[in-house]
């Protein structure tokens, strides 16, 4: 990625250009100390004089009123604020007519900025004051008074805080009077410019110490540049927060949001006092001390997936290269390319007016449809569809260009959503709330309706990043999230009864695999791959044994995982270089075998690989699918003897309901196991589960409610207290002990009767199933169906049905 700059041979302005501002993506206004305001039209290359200001007005800063909020046009969108050295700010129309001039500060008004919805204007001055005004220019409050000039100010993402300079310090002040002010020393010289991005919530600063720095919103340093030759006179975030620009004397630099430099452009323009990005983030303009206005547009952006690499060579041209056969295709567009994404065999490109969908099998005939709002800020892709985000909302499209759904979130600014705050899978859309960052909204990707009961997922801490897994059925969809403490959590999207479980700590970045439910992340100083993250819901103690870890020092400080495709993980280091790390192919193969119930193949794979991590993953997969024989072998391989014994005890249970209940108990789902037993009429087994877990009150409650086995509960309770040498203090147990006689012989006999009854019920159910199955087999007349049913019978151990089916195939009735 680099900037392609353009400059007129002779400057239009005769004096220093102090500020610039975009009206549209192709039209710019510039103000100069020669008292002239020029309009620059980039479509036809024309430059025209808008107005000549009065001689007493020397402009310092310019900011246009917000064009739209939430996709709706603003009524005052054709107005801009102009601050000047005479202590006034001026509200001017697009035609250059000054509608209103307001006495604001003693000395020069150094900065003026509208908030994001245009309801307030903030100004700073040489007098050290910061004032807030209504959009009509009425003073609301004086927010700050200090002894030094305030050179720059920026609104917070939600317009509820401001960031301003105070000498060498940066200060974040909430608008609420009682809220705490955050301040820190940021530079070794006076800070000249700051910017605060609404999408990534990061702060950018530049000062007379010849450095630019990146901070988070808590004042923690994320990046500090090397010392430049001259002071940093301007900084500006791109609207989407992916890159930023830095201006200095004869220097324009384009940087990634993490700080490393994409490109450095040298030009004879003098110092760049102001930088402004167009709303679509494709073009940049700078105001220079030589009277020039420098223009730059971003080219050579690159996207890669599998063997394909796409490069934006010009504003309207892309080059597609297949590195396998070195085939090259050129894609031409009618309008300027704004956003693009390459994944899942499709390239999605948005211009200012249209969306183009290319298949990797055919680059010649794209599918094209028109866009309502051309300012697309985010594109996400899944296997079956893709997602577009703009100022008007969130839209899910199929790859044939059909609008699938449009999830709605009341009151949310969708234009500031980032890739960390939105995630897409084949069946689910997840969006983190920007107002309350503990909340994650979940929608059905096909209908756009909220999942389940409509309530969002709520975490106990602020969520910093979310990611949906890409494989498996919709009912098993999981979402991973990193919170403010850098803890990694996993929970089910559609099964809300499953808790939000922690699976990692000090996790900085993560990514799901594209073809299996494998999760990778940078965990403190370790690169970690969770071979089977769902194990936390099956056997929490087994989860650490399913992790693959290796030293991450080769990735440097603050690396970012870009993708996890197949067995390759792509990581961006802090210096911008790409590093590739390979992961064993066996975990993905194991997921494939488990997904198709090929358990014998899974066992052979683990025996071949001789990897304890694979065995542990297989054990959890088998238990999740209730495949006890495979689970028994896998648990034995990892030395979990107690769990092998428990699995054997489950296999000996007489009824299917008891087996399912104890599998739930194995995973810690006590209430679900109890409910299953009660629904099956196995009252004693439900009571015994609570006795085994020492849930005495619940066991007694069930016994009293169903009027059975009260003496059993009392007997086990008495034995428990005798073993520990304690006396009964529970009033309920004392009450029932007075009227119930405890006789162990009678209790044992009653238990034997219960178990015998359960065995008879299970045998009867099995006979009914076998009879119905035999009748279905003999009524069928399709040889293929016969054969398939016979295979099912034999593999399921139903020898009697298999024999009956064989007789049917021979033409005889049982």
């Amino acid at each position: 990625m680099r900037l392609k700059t353009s400059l007129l041979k002779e400057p239009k302005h005769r004096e220093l250009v102090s500020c610039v501002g975009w009206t549209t993506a192709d039209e710019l206004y510039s103000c100069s100390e020669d008292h002239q305001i020029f309009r620059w039209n980039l479509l036809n290359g024309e430059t025209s004089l808008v107005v000549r200001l009065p001689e007493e007005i020397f402009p310092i800063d310019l900011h246009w009123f917000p064009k739209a909020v939430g996709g709706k046009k603003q009524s005052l969108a054709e107005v801009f604020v102009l601050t000047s050295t005479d202590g006034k700010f001026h509200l001017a129309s697009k035609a250059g007519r000054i509608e209103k001039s307001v006495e604001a500060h003693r000395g020069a008004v150094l900065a003026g900025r509208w908030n994001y919805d245009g309801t307030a204007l903030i100004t700073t001055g040489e007098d050290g004051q910061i004032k807030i005004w209504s959009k009509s220019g009425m003073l609301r409050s004086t927010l700050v008074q200090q002894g030094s000039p305030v050179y720059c100010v920026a609104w917070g993402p939600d317009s509820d805080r401001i960031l301003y300079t105070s000498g060498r310090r940066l200060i974040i002040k909430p608008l609420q009077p009682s809220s705490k002010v955050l301040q820190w020393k940021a530079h070794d010289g006076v800070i000249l410019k700051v910017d605060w991005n609404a999408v990534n919530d990061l702060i950018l600063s530049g000062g007379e110490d010849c450095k630019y720095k990146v901070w988070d919103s808590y004042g923690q340093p994320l990046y500090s540049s090397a010392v430049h030759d001259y002071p940093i006179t301007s900084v500006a975030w791109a609207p989407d927060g992916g890159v930023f620009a830095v201006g200095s004397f004869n220097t324009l630099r384009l940087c990634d949001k993490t700080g490393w430099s994409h490109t450095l452009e040298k030009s004879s323009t003098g110092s760049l006092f102001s930088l402004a990005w167009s709303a679509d983030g494709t073009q940049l303009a700078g105001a220079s001390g030589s009277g020039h206005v420098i223009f730059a547009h971003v080219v050579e952006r690159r996207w890669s997936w599998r063997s394909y690499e796409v490069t934006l060579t010009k504003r309207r041209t892309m080059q597609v290269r297949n590195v396998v056969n070195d085939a090259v295709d050129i894609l031409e567009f009618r309008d300027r390319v704004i956003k693009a994404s390459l994944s899942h065999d499709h390239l999605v490109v948005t211009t200012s007016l249209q969306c183009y969908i290319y298949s990797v099998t055919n680059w010649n005939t794209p599918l094209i449809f028109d866009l309502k709002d051309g300012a697309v800020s985010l594109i996400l892709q899944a296997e079956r569809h893709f997602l577009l985000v703009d100022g008007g909302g969130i839209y899910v499209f199929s790859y044939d260009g059909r609008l699938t759904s449009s999830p709605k979130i009341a009151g949310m600014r969708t234009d500031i959503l980032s890739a960390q705050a939105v995630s897409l899978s084949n069946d689910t859309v997840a969006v983190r709330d920007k107002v309350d960052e503990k909340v994650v909204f979940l929608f059905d990707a096909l209908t756009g309706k909220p999942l389940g009961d409509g309530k969002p997922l709520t975490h106990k801490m602020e969520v910093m990043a979310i990611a949906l897994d890409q494989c498996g059925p919709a009912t098993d969809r999981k979402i991973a999230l990193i919170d403010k403490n850098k803890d990694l959590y996993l929970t089910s999207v559609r099964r809300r009864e499953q808790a939000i479980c922690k699976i990692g700590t000090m996790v900085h970045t993560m990514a799901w695999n594209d073809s299996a439910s494998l999760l990778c992340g940078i965990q403190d100083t370790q690169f970690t791959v969770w071979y089977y993250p769902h194990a936390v819901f099956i056997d929490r103690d087994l989860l650490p044994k399913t992790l693959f870890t290796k030293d991450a020092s080769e990735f440097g400080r603050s690396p970012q995982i870009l993708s996890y495709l197949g067995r390759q993980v792509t990581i961006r280091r802090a210096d911008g270089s790409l590093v590739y790390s390979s992961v064993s192919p066996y975990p993905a193969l194991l997921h494939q075998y488990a997904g198709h119930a090929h358990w014998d193949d899974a066992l052979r794979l683990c025996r071949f690989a001789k990897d304890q991590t694979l065995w542990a993953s297989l054990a959890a997969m088998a238990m999740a699918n209730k495949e006890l024989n495979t689970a028994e072998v896998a648990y034995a391989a990892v030395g979990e003897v107690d769990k092998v014994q428990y699995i054997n005890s489950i296999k000996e249970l007489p009824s299917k309901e008891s087996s399912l209940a104890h599998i739930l108990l194995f995973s810690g789902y006590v209430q679900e196991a109890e409910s299953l037993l009660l629904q099956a009429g196995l009252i004693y087994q439900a009571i015994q589960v609570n006795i085994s877990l020492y849930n005495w009150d619940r066991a007694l409650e069930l016994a009293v409610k169903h009027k059975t086995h009260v003496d059993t509960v009392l007997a086990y309770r008495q034995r428990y207290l005798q073993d520990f040498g304690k006396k009964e203090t529970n009033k309920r147990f004392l009450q029932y002990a007075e009227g119930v006689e405890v006789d162990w012989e009678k209790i044992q006999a009653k238990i034997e009767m219960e178990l015998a009854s359960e065995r008879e019920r299970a045998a009867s159910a099995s006979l009914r199933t076998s009879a119905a199955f035999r009748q279905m087999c003999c009524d069928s007349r399709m040889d293929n169906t016969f054969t398939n049913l016979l295979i099912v019978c034999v593999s399921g151990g139903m020898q009697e049905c298999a024999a009956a089916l064989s007789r049917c195939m021979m033409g005889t009735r049982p």
Side-chain angles (χ1 to χ4, degrees):
M1 183 185 297
R2 67 178 182 89
L3 290 174
K4 185 177 181 180
T5 59
S6 60
L7 202 65
L8 295 178
K9 291 183 179 180
E10 295 295 330
K12 289 289 184 180
H13 290 284
R14 299 190 303 272
E15 299 288 343
L16 173 151
V17 182
S18 56
C19 49
V20 291
W22 295 87
T23 59
T24 66
D26 296 298
E27 186 178 77
L28 181 90
Y29 275 43
S30 63
C31 300
S32 169
E33 290 187 354
D34 62 4
H35 309 288
Q36 296 183 105
I37 298 179
F38 278 98
R39 179 191 295 113
W40 304 73
N41 190 317
L42 273 65
L43 292 177
N44 56 28
E46 294 181 355
T47 306
S48 57
L49 178 66
V50 177
V51 68
R52 183 179 296 276
L53 299 170
E55 292 296 320
E56 67 272 12
I57 297 180
F58 290 85
I60 296 178
D61 195 16
L62 176 151
H63 194 219
W64 282 91
F65 192 85
K67 293 290 185 295
V69 175
K72 298 180 180 178
K73 298 291 184 181
Q74 292 273 57
S75 59
L76 296 178
E78 302 297 309
V79 174
F80 64 91
V81 60
L82 186 70
T83 69
S84 59
T85 58
D86 59 358
K88 298 179 181 179
F89 70 83
H90 312 274
L91 299 179
S93 67
K94 190 175 182 179
R97 185 176 68 253
I98 295 180
E99 306 288 349
K100 189 172 186 178
S101 296
V102 179
E103 289 279 356
H105 294 269
R106 297 189 306 275
V109 183
L110 299 177
R113 282 288 179 268
W114 298 103
N115 66 354
Y116 289 104
D117 57 6
T119 57
L121 170 69
I122 193 165
T123 61
T124 69
E126 281 185 324
D127 56 3
Q129 293 186 343
I130 299 178
K131 297 182 179 181
I132 296 181
W133 311 78
S134 70
K135 61 182 178 181
S136 61
M138 302 296 293
L139 179 64
R140 288 182 179 173
S141 65
T142 300
L143 200 61
V144 174
Q145 297 186 38
Q146 65 180 33
S148 59
V150 181
Y151 287 105
C152 199
V153 69
W155 287 97
D158 299 318
S159 298
D160 58 350
R161 295 172 292 170
I162 63 164
L163 167 72
Y164 65 94
T165 67
S166 178
R168 302 178 180 183
R169 295 180 301 156
L170 287 177
I171 301 174
I172 296 178
K173 182 176 178 61
L175 299 187
Q176 294 294 332
S178 58
S179 300
K180 184 179 178 181
V181 176
L182 176 65
Q183 59 179 313
W184 69 95
K185 182 185 176 184
H187 288 261
D188 295 326
V190 174
I191 302 170
L192 300 177
K193 290 289 183 178
V194 295
D195 198 9
W196 194 346
N197 188 260
V199 176
N200 59 33
D201 200 23
L202 298 181
I203 292 168
L204 182 61
S205 64
E208 289 186 346
D209 59 355
C210 305
K211 293 181 180 181
Y212 64 87
K213 299 184 179 183
V214 182
W215 316 82
D216 65 15
S217 58
Y218 304 101
Q220 299 297 317
L222 302 180
Y223 181 83
S224 177
S225 73
V227 177
H228 289 60
D229 295 332
Y230 300 97
I232 304 299
T233 52
S234 55
V235 295
W237 280 107
D240 64 0
V243 294
F244 62 85
V246 177
S248 185
F249 182 76
N250 287 344
T251 302
L252 178 61
R253 187 184 293 271
L254 179 67
C255 303
D256 184 78
K257 66 179 180 180
T258 56
W260 56 273
S261 180
H262 279 290
T263 182
L264 175 65
E265 300 294 331
K266 291 288 187 178
S267 59
S268 301
T269 56
S271 294
L272 295 176
F273 293 106
S274 175
L275 293 173
W277 287 90
S278 60
D280 58 15
T282 61
Q283 298 182 101
L284 178 69
S288 73
S290 64
H292 280 286
V293 175
I294 185 171
F295 291 95
H297 60 267
V298 180
V299 295
E300 295 185 12
R301 284 186 285 170
R302 287 182 170 85
W303 300 265
S304 60
W305 186 79
R306 302 292 186 189
S307 62
Y308 295 95
E309 184 179 65
V310 177
T311 305
L312 181 67
T313 55
K314 298 178 182 179
R315 282 184 280 188
R316 298 181 178 88
T317 306
M318 280 183 161
Q319 181 190 79
V320 181
R321 181 169 175 262
N322 188 335
V323 297
V324 173
N325 55 21
D326 215 25
V328 176
D329 292 275
I330 303 298
L331 311 180
E332 299 283 350
F333 302 93
R334 189 183 71 183
D335 304 299
R336 182 175 60 255
V337 173
I338 296 176
K339 287 284 181 182
S341 177
L342 176 63
S343 184
H344 297 285
D345 292 327
H346 290 86
L347 170 66
V348 180
V349 181
T350 61
T351 66
S352 55
L353 297 175
Q354 294 176 314
C355 178
Y356 296 74
I357 306 171
Y358 293 88
S359 171
V360 297
T361 58
N362 184 6
W363 297 106
N364 298 319
T365 54
L367 194 148
I368 307 172
F369 63 89
D370 294 332
L371 296 172
K372 294 181 181 178
D373 186 346
V376 172
S377 59
L378 181 66
I379 304 176
L380 294 179
Q381 289 181 256
E383 183 182 2
R384 298 176 187 169
H385 38 237
F386 65 96
L387 177 145
L388 299 181
V389 178
D390 61 22
I394 302 171
Y395 309 96
V396 179
F397 291 90
S398 63
Y399 286 111
D400 58 6
R402 180 175 54 87
L403 178 63
T404 303
S405 65
S406 179
K408 302 295 183 184
I409 304 175
M412 177 176 284
R413 284 183 58 201
T414 54
D415 60 316
I416 63 174
L417 292 175
S418 67
Q420 285 72 40
V422 186
S423 187
L424 175 70
S425 70
N426 285 334
D427 45 67
T428 309
V429 178
V431 183
R432 187 199 65 192
D433 193 0
K434 291 290 290 185
V435 178
D436 184 0
E437 294 186 343
K438 299 178 182 178
V439 174
V440 178
F441 296 99
L442 300 170
F443 301 93
D444 190 305
L446 301 180
T447 63
K449 296 180 180 179
L451 291 180
D453 55 5
K455 294 181 180 179
L457 176 67
T458 303
H459 189 47
K460 60 184 179 182
M461 294 288 294
E462 289 84 355
V463 177
M464 308 309 292
I466 60 175
L468 290 163
D469 67 341
Q470 301 298 305
C471 303
T475 53
D476 291 338
R477 184 72 56 231
K478 301 293 189 295
I479 182 171
L481 52 92
I482 300 175
D483 66 13
K484 183 180 174 182
N485 287 342
K486 301 295 183 185
D487 291 331
L488 177 61
Y489 287 82
L490 189 73
T491 189
S492 175
V493 167
R494 297 173 186 264
R495 298 177 182 175
R496 295 296 182 85
E497 68 275 6
Q498 289 186 345
I500 303 178
C501 298
K502 183 192 290 189
I503 62 172
T505 58
M506 295 303 295
V507 178
H508 309 289
T509 176
M510 63 172 174
W512 286 98
N513 186 265
D514 67 324
S515 57
S517 293
L518 302 167
L519 180 66
C520 71
I522 306 293
Q523 188 174 15
D524 199 8
T525 59
Q526 298 284 325
F527 171 73
T528 304
V529 181
W530 287 262
Y531 280 0
Y532 189 59
H534 307 1
V536 71
F537 304 114
I538 309 302
D539 185 353
R540 185 184 293 268
D541 298 333
L542 195 65
L543 180 66
K545 296 184 178 182
T546 65
L547 305 185
F548 165 78
T549 59
K550 73 174 184 178
D551 184 47
S553 58
E554 63 176 301
F555 306 136
R557 181 175 176 268
S558 302
Q560 292 291 319
I561 296 177
L562 301 183
S563 64
Y564 183 9
L565 302 177
R567 53 174 299 191
Q568 180 176 275
V569 181
T570 306
I571 299 171
R572 175 84 69 182
R573 297 175 59 180
D575 61 1
S577 60
L578 292 177
V579 182
Y580 300 93
S581 182
S582 295
V583 178
S584 169
Y586 297 140
L589 194 57
L590 187 65
H591 276 272
Q592 180 181 338
Y593 288 149
H596 293 87
H598 296 166
W599 299 109
D600 290 338
D601 293 334
L603 286 171
R604 280 193 290 270
L605 175 65
C606 290
R607 289 180 178 127
F608 171 78
K610 298 178 181 178
D611 184 352
Q612 290 290 295
T613 309
L614 283 180
W615 278 115
S617 302
L618 177 59
M621 292 177 188
M623 285 303 296
N625 289 275
K626 303 175 180 60
E627 176 58 35
L628 299 183
N629 292 327
T630 305
E632 180 183 356
V633 176
Y635 271 110
V638 295
E640 298 281 356
V641 179
D642 54 335
K643 292 171 183 176
V644 172
Q645 292 178 341
Y646 189 74
I647 291 171
N648 280 324
S649 68
I650 295 175
K651 291 163 65 176
E652 294 173 358
L653 292 172
S655 67
K656 180 181 178 181
E657 290 82 1
S658 291
S659 298
L660 293 176
H662 280 79
I663 291 174
L664 288 171
L665 282 174
F666 182 92
S667 300
Y669 300 111
V670 178
Q671 293 183 351
E672 291 81 356
E674 180 189 293
S675 299
L676 180 61
L677 291 170
L678 292 175
Q679 290 173 7
L682 303 175
I683 309 302
Y684 166 71
Q685 286 80 352
I687 294 172
Q688 186 60 49
V689 162
N690 285 283
I691 291 175
S692 301
L693 296 174
Y694 305 113
N695 294 335
W696 300 109
D697 289 331
R698 179 59 179 165
L700 183 60
E701 180 184 344
L702 289 174
V704 172
K705 179 180 179 180
H706 295 278
K707 299 179 182 179
T708 181
H709 287 286
V710 176
D711 56 343
T712 305
V713 178
L714 294 174
Y716 278 103
R717 172 76 171 181
Q718 289 177 7
R719 177 180 291 180
Y720 167 77
L721 293 173
Q722 289 172 3
D723 290 342
F724 287 93
K726 294 184 177 182
K727 294 183 178 181
E728 183 62 75
T729 57
N730 190 309
K731 293 182 179 180
R732 290 199 68 194
F733 278 90
L734 289 172
Q735 174 188 347
Y736 284 100
E738 294 177 357
V740 177
E741 179 184 358
V742 175
D743 186 340
W744 273 105
E745 292 184 0
K746 292 182 179 179
I747 292 171
Q748 292 293 347
K750 191 188 300 184
I751 292 173
E752 288 296 332
M753 290 178 60
E754 290 279 0
L755 296 177
S757 174
E758 182 183 359
R759 284 191 289 269
E760 290 176 4
R761 192 185 314 180
S764 176
S766 178
L767 287 174
R768 287 196 300 272
T769 302
S770 300
F773 193 71
R774 277 199 305 272
Q775 186 61 44
M776 179 186 69
C777 295
C778 290
D779 288 344
S780 177
R781 290 294 180 267
M782 297 176 62
D783 290 343
N784 287 337
T785 304
F786 285 153
T787 306
N788 291 334
L789 292 176
L790 179 60
I791 293 172
V792 171
C793 287
V794 174
S795 62
M798 300 171 64
Q799 289 84 1
E800 183 184 355
C801 288
L805 180 55
S806 298
R807 290 194 295 272
C808 286
M809 294 178 69
M810 298 298 293
T812 61
R813 308 287 295 188

